[in-house]
Amino acid sequence: LSLSLSSHNTTRTPLATMAVAVCLFALALSTCSLAVDSKSIPFCEPPKVGQLCRAAPENLHPTQVMLGMAEVDCKKAHMAAMSSSDLDDYLLKHTVPAVLGPDQGLYITDHHHTTAALATADVHDSHRYAVVNVTDDYSSLSLAAFWSRMVSNKYVWLGDDKGSGPINPLLIPPQVSELVNWPYRSLAWAVRNNGGYGKTGIPFADFAWGEFFMQHNLLPEISSDEEGWTFCQAAPYNRDLCYPKDLENVMAALGPALQLAFSPAASQLPGFNQGTQDFPNCGNKSTTLLLQK
């Protein structure tokens, strides 16, 4: 790993810098007893390929339009319950991969839920920085060529909350805090937690499972007899006005979804029949128990 010190780290000693590099390398092997915190990582000013750097969540551009808000809520509660040192360790272990875009912006290609949770979690602002792994530099490309490359590399998910796609990537919101709720992504997350399928290295696998569950209409639909467009037709899973029982609906569908996940109909999906129960820490016992069907 290449670690360079920015002006924010002018007092960092060579020995401390070496400790950061060794510790970050060992994270991949899960053998590092962290003696440093995420503040040891320089800011992304400027970001460089192969470098870990820190960035505020609002400065990271998403590459999808949807989130499972039940998972975001779980991660927010988990972060809020952590001590400062535990949160530093967590952020170091959950680095966010990103691509440098034509506007010199950082476009994240995974861990949208972690980034969205960090943006609004009840944590001190001094800890509200994602640790970013800059994987590619596409900054020399035109905007159209950039998105074409991102699609070719499977760095972007262009489905929407109505099961349609591909959408125009220019419609992706600029910040993770503006992504929309899609309860089928929450349902896929709950199914995976309960051993319904396994984690894989395949990009956006949870979205593929979400679309599978959506095809089987496992969650209540929003209907309206009003003429013309309504807000809830446009934003059917908005929790404030249209879908207030988001978590309740997801949990009610978990049993049928688990049965479907083990059926032959799901055999072509990533992680089929490879799952193990792995319940998340949602910061409080009651929320965690909701995910144990």
Side-chain angles (χ1 to χ4, degrees):
L1 294 173
S2 172
L3 285 170
S4 63
L5 298 180
S6 72
S7 59
H8 297 275
N9 286 307
T10 55
T11 61
R12 186 69 57 191
T13 65
L15 182 60
T17 302
M18 182 178 296
V20 173
V22 171
C23 196
L24 290 171
F25 178 78
L27 280 173
L29 304 177
S30 299
T31 60
C32 180
S33 177
L34 290 171
V36 296
D37 58 35
S38 60
K39 296 177 184 178
S40 302
I41 309 300
F43 285 96
C44 300
E45 298 174 356
K48 298 178 183 178
V49 172
Q51 178 192 57
L52 293 184
C53 57
R54 282 192 294 153
E58 63 267 22
N59 293 332
L60 300 175
H61 302 293
T63 52
Q64 61 194 50
V65 299
M66 305 178 294
L67 293 170
M69 290 302 176
E71 180 176 355
V72 174
D73 286 348
C74 175
K75 289 179 178 291
K76 285 173 60 176
H78 186 200
M79 291 177 183
M82 292 181 192
S83 66
S84 296
S85 60
D86 286 345
L87 180 57
D88 287 335
D89 289 356
Y90 180 88
L91 295 174
L92 276 170
K93 291 176 182 177
H94 294 80
T95 59
V96 179
V99 172
L100 189 60
D103 56 358
Q104 297 296 311
L106 287 168
Y107 292 76
I108 64 175
T109 56
D110 201 358
H111 298 316
H112 287 74
H113 291 76
T114 298
T115 306
L118 182 62
T120 55
D122 185 16
V123 301
H124 195 276
D125 285 343
S126 64
H127 295 277
R128 205 181 301 280
Y129 291 95
V131 179
V132 180
N133 175 25
V134 185
T135 61
D136 302 274
D137 185 353
Y138 299 158
S139 60
S140 63
L141 300 178
S142 69
L143 190 60
F146 166 75
W147 282 115
S148 178
R149 180 76 61 85
M150 294 287 282
V151 173
S152 296
N153 288 348
K154 295 182 171 59
Y155 283 168
V156 59
W157 180 263
L158 296 177
D160 69 6
D161 55 345
K162 302 178 184 66
S164 302
I167 65 164
N168 187 326
L170 297 180
L171 297 177
I172 297 175
Q175 296 182 339
V176 290
S177 60
E178 299 175 8
L179 299 183
V180 302
N181 179 43
W182 192 45
Y184 280 102
R185 175 59 178 77
S186 294
L187 180 59
W189 171 68
V191 168
R192 176 163 53 78
N193 292 337
N194 283 271
Y197 64 93
K199 279 190 174 183
T200 70
I202 298 175
F204 301 105
D206 291 320
F207 280 99
W209 279 93
E211 287 193 338
F212 172 70
F213 295 136
M214 190 176 199
Q215 291 166 5
H216 289 81
N217 300 311
L218 295 185
L219 292 171
E221 295 183 1
I222 301 297
S223 60
S224 174
D225 296 328
E226 298 182 40
E227 294 185 4
W229 290 340
T230 67
F231 174 75
C232 288
Q233 287 174 330
Y237 301 115
N238 178 275
R239 289 169 132 191
D240 293 331
L241 298 179
C242 312
Y243 212 72
K245 295 184 177 181
D246 180 43
L247 183 59
E248 292 91 332
N249 290 337
V250 167
M251 298 317 303
L254 180 53
L258 281 167
Q259 290 183 340
L260 197 57
F262 289 107
S263 72
S267 62
Q268 300 304 309
L269 288 168
F272 174 73
N273 206 28
Q274 299 173 17
T276 57
Q277 287 188 335
D278 184 17
F279 301 123
N281 183 338
C282 296
N284 64 77
K285 186 176 180 180
S286 60
T287 305
T288 302
L289 288 176
L290 281 174
L291 300 172
Q292 302 181 20
K293 186 68 175 178

